[in-house]
Amino acid sequence: MSVEVHDYCGAGGARRSADRATYSLPGTLSLSRPRTGGGFTEDNPFSLVLAVGQPSDSGALSLWSAAVSTTSGQDLSGNPRDPNLLLTYWDLDWSDGRLAGRLTDPHIQEAVALNLFNWSTELVPCRPELGQLPGAHPHALAAGTTLDGRLDDGGLSLTAQGTTQDGLLTFRFTFTGSAS
């Protein structure tokens, strides 16, 4: 995986490149039937969850095509509703062993961002000499992040690339593996 770190410490608070890193972490890919919730079904050929690294690791990445969130059984007016809310994050297309996907809604407004990239954060912005916060800070991936590559019975070779919602991280991640 390669990451370019940005900050807003340039002249007049402008965004600038601050650092670069390349590293490798183990991961898992889970495919299942499309998720359903609230009377709706995920409009993808399958439900995808890709997890790289441990959630607390700097450099960990998680991609979820959809999730079902448990909500109140009533809307704000007190009307009954299904408490299982389907949140679709990605639009996936899979044909002849090729997968192409685009993150269409990170669900930040609903506070259910699951497509996350963890990275360390400076204790005080623009003051790297003061150190970093311990552990990794989750950054929501921005809409427009892509996932592309081969996914078939022989294995996979996928590339995810994009930026985080806050504009601080740009990444390119390659995931390769065999079917098990």
Side-chain angles (χ1 to χ4, degrees), residues 22 32 44 69 72 88 101 105 110 114 131 160 166:
T22 303
S32 60
N44 283 319
S69 174
S72 168
T88 302
D105 189 343
E110 294 88 349
L114 295 179
D166 57 15

Side-chain angles (χ1 to χ4, degrees), residues 17-93:
S17 179
D19 196 10
R20 292 177 188 265
T22 303
Y23 61 95
S24 179
L25 289 172
T28 59
L29 173 67
S30 175
L31 302 175
S32 60
R33 290 187 306 190
R35 294 180 190 263
T36 60
F40 297 96
T41 299
E42 176 181 3
D43 189 25
N44 283 319
F46 42 75
S47 190
L48 175 144
V49 176
L50 176 60
V52 177
Q54 295 299 314
S56 60
D57 291 343
S58 189
L61 175 74
S62 63
L63 304 179
W64 291 65
S65 64
V68 178
S69 174
T70 304
T71 64
S72 168
Q74 297 179 346
D75 65 17
L76 295 176
S77 299
N79 300 314
R81 69 172 175 192
D82 189 325
N84 296 311
L85 176 64
L86 176 67
L87 300 169
T88 302
Y89 298 89
W90 287 80
D91 180 17
L92 300 174
D93 182 35

Side-chain angles (χ1 to χ4, degrees), residues 7 26 76 83 121 124 167:
D7 62 25
L76 295 176
T121 303
V124 178

